[in-house]
Structure formats: C-alpha cells, structure tokens
Amino acid sequence: MSGSEPLFQRVAVIGLGLIGGSLASAMRRNRLADTVVGSDQREEDLHLGQQLGVIDEAAPTVADAVRGADLVVLAVPVRATRSVLEQVRPALEPGAVLTDVGSTKSSFVADVEAVFGSQGALVIPGHPIAGSEKSGIRAANPDLFANHKVILTPPDNVSESHLRRLQALWEGCGATVLTMSVAYHDEVLAATSHLPHLIAFSLVDTLAGEDENMDIFRYAAGGFRDFTRIAASDPVMWHDIFLSNRDAVLRVIDHFTHDLEQLRTAIANQDSATLLRVFSRAKAAREHFSKMLSGQAYVTNNSAKQVRFRLQPGGAITGDIRVPGDKSMSHRSIMLGALADGVTEVKGFLEGEDSLATLQAFRDMGVTIEGPDNGFVRIHGVGMHGLQAPRGPLYLGNSGTAMRLFAGLLAAQPFDSELTGDASLSGRPMGRVAEPLRAMGAVIETAEGGRPPLKIRGGQALTGIHYEMPVASAQVKSCLLLAGLYAEGSTSVTEPAPTRDHTERMLAGFGYHVHRDGATASVSGGGKMTATNIDVPADISSAAFFLVAASIAPGSDLVLRHVGMNPTRVGVINILRLMGANIEVLDEREIGGEPVADLRVRSAELKGIDIPEDQVPLAIDEFPVLFIAATCARGRTVLRGAEELRVKESDRIQVMADGLAALGVETTVTPDGIVIDGGQTIGGGTVNSHGDHRIAMSFAVASLRAAGDITINDCANVATSFPGFVELARETGINIKAEGSE
C-alpha cells in the first residue's frame, strides 16, 4: 500500500503483547495509518515499543491513546476487557471504529453491551488466527498475519463503509479476511482451537504423571511433539479463554467425548469398518480443513480471494491431451456407489470442487470413501437404507447438480437434512425439483423464491407419480428418478426434448432396472443396487473449450482422448460440424455402458447457422463457448429455445452478451436466446465472468482471435469443473496466466 492514502488517521492499540505489537508494527510498515499510538499497563513495554519502532507514540493512559483516534484496537487479556472498555468509553470519538483481537467474541460483545449499553454499528469484533511461541513486545512481527486468516464478526447493522476499511487494513497486513456471526465464530473456535489446546494440556499433564514419564517424553515421535507444543501456551490466557467461552467449549467437549467413546468401542470390538470410515472421513476433512470450517467452497476458498485470467491474443492449438473426467458422471458414481451393496471402484473421477462436495456429503452421512487419488475412488456402499443422519447441513459449494439430485435422494430418508451452498448456488431456483417432490409426498422447505437452503423432513412415505417436465432438464429428471427408488409404485418422467441420460445408464449399470419408452423414463421403488466398477470418461463439456479453440485458431491440430460420447451430450459436436468444423471421431468404444471416443479437431472456416432447437438440450452447458465460435464465424448465428441458460451459475445469455460487448462485439439478446453476427473483431478489454466458470473459460478461448489483451475477472470457480485448466490451456497454445492462487 506504499504511496496510497492511509486507511486510518490515528489508531490506538491498547495492549502491546505479541498480537497488538505485531499489528501496530504491520500498520506502520505498510503505511495503513498516519499515527499508531500504543497503550500498555506495563510501562517498560510501552517505552520499548516506541524504541523498537513498533508504535509512533506512547500514551500514558488508555484515555490518552483513544482520544482523537478513528480506530481503537483492544489487544488485552479476555478477563481485562471490561475494565479497559470502561477506560475507553469517555474518550472514544463518535465516529471511531472499535475492534479487538480476542479469540472469544460473545464475551467481548457482552462486555461492550455492559459498558456502552449496546454494540453499535461501529463495534466490529475481530480475531486474527495467528500466533507464536514467543510473547511480549520483543516478539512483535509485522509479518505475523501474512497468509493467515482474520475473522471479523460484524453486527447486523454494521456500517458497511467502516467494515470495508477494517477489512482493507487487515488485508494490508497480508491477511485473508472472513466474516461470520459471533455465535458461529465461538463454536468454530471452540472446536478447532480451544478443544485441541485443552486436549494438549490434559495429555501432557496425564503423561507427566506416569512413572515412566522421562522415557515417554524422551522417545516421543515428532507428531507427539508437534501436537503437544501448544501445551506450552500461556496458562493464564487459556484459563481466561475457557471460562469466557464456557458454553461452546462444553458442547464440543461433550461431542468429542461421545465420538471418542465410539472409537474406543470400535477398537474393543475389532470393528474395522467404523475405524476406516472415521479415519478416511477425518483425512479428507484435514486436507481441506480451513475451507470446510469457514463454510466456503470445498477445495478453494473462493470468496476469500480473487483470481483473474490475463490473456494475450493469438496462438495455435496443438497437442494430444485428455481433459478431466465428466462431472455429471462423477457426481452420480459417488451417489449410486454409496447406495449400492458392496465396494464400487471409480477411475477418472473429477477432483473438482463440485464433485468433492458430493463425496464429502456422503462421508458426512456415514459412507466410507477412500481417495480420491489421481482420479481413483473406492466407495464402501451402505445399501439403499444405510445412510446415517449428518451432524449438520450438507454443504454443496457451487453445485446445482448435487443439490437437485440430493433433494431426490434425501426426500425419503428417515432423517431430517438440510442442503446449503455458496452465495451463487443460494441464488439459484430449486422450486422445479421441490414442487414435484412435494407431489410425491416429500416435505421440503425452501428460502424465498424457492431458493436454497433446502430443509427436507425425514420419515416421509413417497408415492410414485408421472411427471411431464415443462422444460427439458436432466437434473430435474434425475432428481425424480432417484426419489422414485424409494417411492411406492412407479415413478415416470417425460421430457419435452432429450437430455443427458447418465442417471438411467448408471442405474442400469448398478443392476437397477430403468424402463424407457420414447421420451419417458420410469423406475419402480423397492429395488436394490449392486456395486460395480466405473471408468469415468473425459468430460465433453470440458473438451468443448478445446474443440472451439482448435476450430477458430489458424494452424491448429489437436487430439482429445477418451471423451464421453453419450448421444445426449454430443450437441456441441453436432452444432460445430453444422458450422463447418473439422472434427474426426476416432476409436469409438463403449466403457461401462457409456460410449467413448478420441476426437481430432483442426482449424476450419466456420459459418453462422440457425442452431436446430432439438440440439439445444444436448449442448446446454457448452453454449457460452459456442457463442465465441459464432463470433468468429462468417454470417449470422441464431439460438432459440435456450431459456435454461438463464438459470445456470449466471444468466449465461446476458453475461456472455455483456462480456462480448466489453470486447466490442455487438449481439442481440432475446428472451430465449441470442443473435450473433459473425466476423466482428474481438477487441481487447476486461470481462466480468460473474463467478461462472464456463464464462471465464469461454473468454479465454476468445483470446485466440482477439486484437488485444483480455482480462477476465472473478475466475476462482473454474476449479469447480476444470481443475488445471490454466496449465492445460497454456500447454496447448493459449497465452494465459492466472493471477492469484487457482
């Protein structure tokens, strides 16, 4: 932030221990405040802080430090907070922000309300998740918060402008800022910080009392030393924390004690299945710990970072590649494998956020799943009626497919469940699955407008129905067929146009009969599934970006291996061929009931077409990149009958039109489609992907025919469907780089 205006004029830091001193030092070094004034009850630390350059000024009293400050930071022991607030109150300026750095928030808010009468819009509690074995002003480190998280717990009536300034201050210190409620913060910290410290204190104290304690500590392995290191923390501080966060700590101790007893019983009874289930679930949770705890996306904490793509124009697409596994099939392989009897092995599983969210949700319902390890997953099925009630809401990240299919699977389970997702998923309509499920007897609550979260009442008896889908949707069809597995009688779905049939094919692969009669698919409830092995082909939706890229970039010649060629998914190939694309289908074969082939695509002169409406459902996910193909074609391309595009991760018709406009390309948007006159110059510029992975990747392809550099903002969600996209795009010839960690 060097050279920019400071965020605050005068910051008062009350308490110059490790955290307070490090924050003061970071603010000074990064010029986040004009003046940093410190106050501490230890006079020698106060003067030392000034001598060491940690603070600009040393104030003799708390009131002297606070007077005139536009930000006041309390970095004092938890039990001292109220008395310090009483000293702060008479000197606090009317427009000043008041925050703290303590690890319990409920007690801080209670102290504020006791002293001030209410919390107020400018009181924003905070908690940096950072520390050191050293303490005191001499340990102050301006880099302490770099690459660490800071949690803010603002009140509902918070001043948004002041919250943004406080967030910017912590980010200026190198931290990633998350926000959550006070109560949730204290529950999370009780589980992830307070309980581990309590266990470490107790374990070391127990072992120190053993007769052989010297040998125990002498021969202890590194893992023991690493874990018990936290037992060297300040006893007085942790005494205060446990008493201040008593209720949350007691709840998590009770929960942990119950689960520990279950493990003891499993060991005593030689119950290997329970041990494997718990250990594999814990391993997966540990690998994605911070993201799961903050309630963000499963692999990458998308809301806490900004990823942008920068692309230079030109390039030819060449090589021999295999894109990641099919996302639709990856979802379904986990779902059906979990409900089958026996062990299902999956190869080619897509290790993207959406699929991993589905995998974790089944772990949360008691299914043992090993992996993924380079696309290999082993699922220990629990049978049709073996799922267990999850401990809390099932978080599905950005995956609309997972949420809609889970709604069908969970509608007849004996337990209550709740399906949640990220901000993008929480804005997408779920009424079109909730309504027919209710007609079958399900009890489902949604938020306003039929949006998530979905709260599903357990113990409902479902009855089969016949449902005529008003709009073609594989997700709605699959949802109802999965609910039909548990319904009395037959459940049938008629679609107005063909949609992907992975659910029907995979159910048959697991030995569950699906009756098909033209546009109608039906199942009868009460059957069972038997484990099988699945080889997930490469996702044609991911291959589509390279099919278009090689078609529009002169001099291109690319081979795509092991691509899924399900007839309900090949609309993108059919449409590109109608436009004149040079695509060869090689080595056609069938693996696990799904057709697969290699594709060779070479550059071609494309022409505009009226896209046949019967192809629209077969290419619904590929239209963003097909719009790029249309822009590079000769003549006019017209899309009709694609209303479904407006309720994807974004309104893909409008967002693509806006992005093309930002690059100088004119289009005509219609209620159910778009008209694109090809041959226009794609200029340089900046595009907002609105967090939609397919929008971001489509404009990356557009750079091949652009006249200038393209910047694409909000690209973190590319990991939801295509992990490693940037590296593969660069390997084949696209001039792309990602800023921020992908």
Side-chain angles (χ1 to χ4, degrees):
M1 293 202 49
S2 178
S4 62
E5 281 293 313
L7 289 163
F8 293 92
Q9 298 304 306
R10 179 181 172 91
V11 177
V13 179
I14 314 301
L16 294 178
L18 171 69
I19 301 297
S22 297
L23 178 58
S25 182
M27 284 191 289
R28 291 199 70 222
R29 189 180 70 178
N30 296 297
R31 300 187 62 188
L32 301 170
D34 264 345
T35 304
V36 179
V37 57
S39 173
D40 196 283
Q41 69 178 91
R42 292 169 58 92
E43 192 172 338
E44 60 270 30
D45 282 0
L46 187 59
H47 293 306
L48 186 58
Q50 196 167 17
Q51 290 171 18
L52 295 174
V54 173
I55 56 175
D56 295 301
E57 297 178 10
T61 69
V62 169
D64 289 329
V66 170
R67 199 168 289 114
D70 51 348
L71 172 64
V72 177
V73 182
L74 265 61
V76 299
V78 173
R79 307 287 276 186
T81 299
R82 186 168 301 189
S83 64
V84 172
L85 284 170
E86 289 169 347
Q87 299 171 65
V88 166
R89 181 185 176 188
L92 189 66
E93 301 293 339
V97 175
L98 176 62
T99 189
D100 77 317
V101 296
S103 66
T104 61
K105 303 286 74 153
S106 298
S107 63
F108 177 71
V109 170
D111 288 339
V112 167
E113 291 174 343
V115 173
F116 288 87
S118 64
Q119 182 174 349
L122 300 184
V123 178
I124 307 173
H127 178 202
I129 312 295
S132 168
E133 291 185 46
K134 300 177 181 178
S135 61
I137 188 66
R138 290 186 183 277
N141 175 11
D143 294 316
L144 184 68
F145 311 107
N147 301 314
H148 284 74
K149 289 185 172 63
V150 171
I151 300 174
L152 299 180
T153 59
D156 292 339
N157 65 336
V158 69
S159 164
E160 291 293 340
S161 62
H162 288 80
L163 175 59
R164 284 194 296 271
R165 286 172 69 200
L166 186 58
Q167 288 174 322
L169 180 135
W170 281 113
E171 289 166 354
C173 297
T176 295
V177 180
L178 305 174
T179 59
M180 59 181 66
S181 71
V182 166
Y184 187 56
H185 168 276
D186 286 359
E187 293 286 345
V188 168
L189 268 294
T192 61
S193 174
H194 304 168
L195 181 63
H197 277 83
L198 190 73
I199 294 169
F201 282 126
S202 177
L203 180 60
V204 173
D205 184 55
T206 297
L207 295 180
E210 296 288 332
D211 291 339
E212 300 84 9
N213 60 54
M214 290 305 296
D215 282 343
I216 289 172
F217 290 109
R218 181 180 297 120
Y219 298 116
F224 175 83
R225 292 194 296 273
D226 289 344
F227 174 68
T228 56
R229 173 187 58 80
I230 58 178
S233 302
D234 183 350
V236 175
M237 178 185 75
W238 281 100
H239 157 275
D240 292 351
I241 288 171
F242 286 123
L243 295 181
S244 298
N245 201 24
R246 183 193 66 178
D247 292 343
V249 169
L250 288 177
R251 278 193 293 274
V252 75
I253 288 174
D254 290 343
H255 194 168
F256 175 71
T257 302
H258 173 266
D259 287 357
L260 191 62
E261 181 59 33
Q262 285 188 326
L263 285 177
R264 187 190 186 285
T265 302
I267 293 169
N269 296 339
Q270 297 286 292
D271 182 357
S272 63
T274 294
L275 291 176
L276 183 60
R277 180 170 64 248
V278 172
F279 294 168
S280 60
R281 187 169 61 209
K283 179 180 184 293
R286 179 61 186 86
E287 288 169 353
H288 306 287
F289 208 56
S290 60
K291 293 88 180 180
M292 294 173 63
L293 290 171
S294 59
Q296 309 297 334
Y298 187 69
V299 171
T300 54
N301 190 346
N302 293 334
S303 70
K305 68 180 186 183
Q306 286 297 320
V307 174
R308 67 174 54 85
F309 293 165
R310 293 196 185 277
L311 298 112
Q312 295 178 318
I317 301 301
T318 59
D320 189 322
I321 63 172
R322 178 168 172 172
V323 300
D326 186 286
K327 185 166 66 166
S328 297
M329 291 183 63
S330 293
H331 280 301
R332 289 161 173 82
S333 68
I334 299 297
M335 291 180 173
L336 301 190
L339 298 175
D341 293 320
V343 177
T344 292
E345 294 187 347
V346 181
K347 293 193 296 184
F349 176 79
L350 173 65
E351 295 183 38
E353 293 181 5
D354 286 3
S355 310
L356 288 170
T358 291
L359 188 152
Q360 185 61 32
F362 277 99
R363 281 187 171 130
D364 290 343
M365 290 187 289
V367 180
T368 299
I369 303 175
E370 300 175 58
D373 181 9
N374 292 320
F376 178 78
V377 178
R378 182 179 288 113
I379 309 158
H380 297 258
V382 297
M384 293 292 292
H385 302 283
L387 295 180
Q388 300 171 14
R391 296 172 175 175
L394 297 173
Y395 178 75
L396 302 175
N398 189 243
S399 180
T401 299
M403 183 164 285
R404 295 186 178 106
L405 269 59
F406 268 111
L409 276 179
L410 296 175
Q413 297 299 327
F415 49 79
D416 293 350
S417 54
E418 181 177 350
L419 303 175
T420 66
D422 65 10
S424 171
L425 182 56
S426 297
R428 295 166 68 182
M430 295 295 152
R432 55 190 181 148
V433 293
E435 287 304 321
L437 286 173
R438 289 174 183 137
M440 296 176 72
V443 178
I444 302 176
E445 295 178 31
T446 65
E448 184 177 353
R451 288 172 165 75
L454 302 187
K455 296 182 179 180
I456 303 170
R457 182 86 52 80
Q460 308 303 308
L462 303 188
T463 303
I465 62 169
H466 175 69
Y467 186 67
E468 298 265 354
M469 287 200 297
V471 176
S473 168
Q475 294 177 7
V476 175
K477 175 179 67 173
S478 296
C479 166
L480 298 180
L481 291 176
L482 293 175
L485 304 181
Y486 293 91
E488 182 73 26
S490 175
T491 299
S492 57
V493 182
T494 300
E495 49 191 356
T499 64
R500 58 188 65 176
D501 63 354
H502 299 305
T503 299
E504 298 98 300
R505 286 174 180 263
M506 200 173 288
L507 279 169
F510 278 93
Y512 205 110
H513 177 68
V514 180
H515 182 72
R516 304 187 217 200
D517 182 9
T520 301
S522 61
V523 295
S524 296
K528 70 172 188 174
M529 288 183 277
T530 303
T532 188
N533 293 334
I534 297 172
D535 187 350
V536 178
D539 195 335
I540 196 168
S541 294
S542 296
F545 300 103
F546 293 95
L547 292 173
V548 171
S551 296
I552 66 173
S556 297
D557 189 347
L558 180 72
V559 175
L560 292 149
R561 299 289 180 187
H562 200 74
V563 178
M565 295 291 287
N566 186 300
T568 63
R569 297 287 301 280
V570 294
V572 63
I573 294 176
N574 298 337
I575 291 167
L576 283 172
R577 280 177 159 173
L578 289 172
M579 297 176 75
N582 183 355
I583 300 173
E584 290 183 73
V585 179
L586 309 171
D587 191 18
E588 294 182 75
R589 54 211 186 267
E590 187 168 294
I591 295 178
E594 288 279 350
V596 173
D598 300 331
L599 302 177
R600 184 182 183 188
V601 55
R602 285 170 280 189
S603 49
E605 187 73 25
L606 301 183
K607 64 179 186 294
I609 62 169
D610 276 15
I611 297 173
E613 288 198 40
D614 65 350
Q615 294 299 307
V616 171
L618 311 185
I620 197 68
D621 281 335
E622 292 75 55
F623 276 112
V625 77
L626 285 171
F627 292 178
I628 302 301
T631 303
C632 298
R634 286 183 294 103
R636 173 171 288 184
T637 296
V638 180
L639 171 67
R640 303 180 184 86
E643 303 95 331
E644 176 79 2
L645 284 173
R646 293 194 178 273
V647 292
K648 291 290 187 177
E649 283 83 337
S650 66
D651 178 342
R652 285 181 172 160
I653 295 174
Q654 191 61 55
V655 171
M656 282 299 299
D658 292 345
L660 287 167
L663 302 180
V665 176
E666 295 181 2
T667 63
T668 302
V669 172
T670 63
D672 66 342
I674 195 168
V675 178
I676 300 174
D677 288 313
Q680 299 182 61
T681 298
I682 300 174
T686 298
V687 173
N688 185 351
S689 76
H690 292 272
D692 190 323
H693 46 115
R694 299 199 191 280
I695 302 291
M697 290 185 280
S698 297
F699 281 107
V701 171
S703 69
L704 292 161
R705 290 282 292 271
D709 292 356
I710 295 176
T711 298
I712 309 169
N713 290 328
D714 204 4
C715 301
N717 272 334
V718 167
T720 62
S721 65
F722 203 145
F725 169 75
V726 170
E727 292 77 13
L728 198 58
R730 193 181 295 125
E731 177 188 325
T732 57
I734 297 176
N735 298 312
I736 182 173
K737 68 176 182 178
E739 294 181 349
S741 55
E742 192 190 9

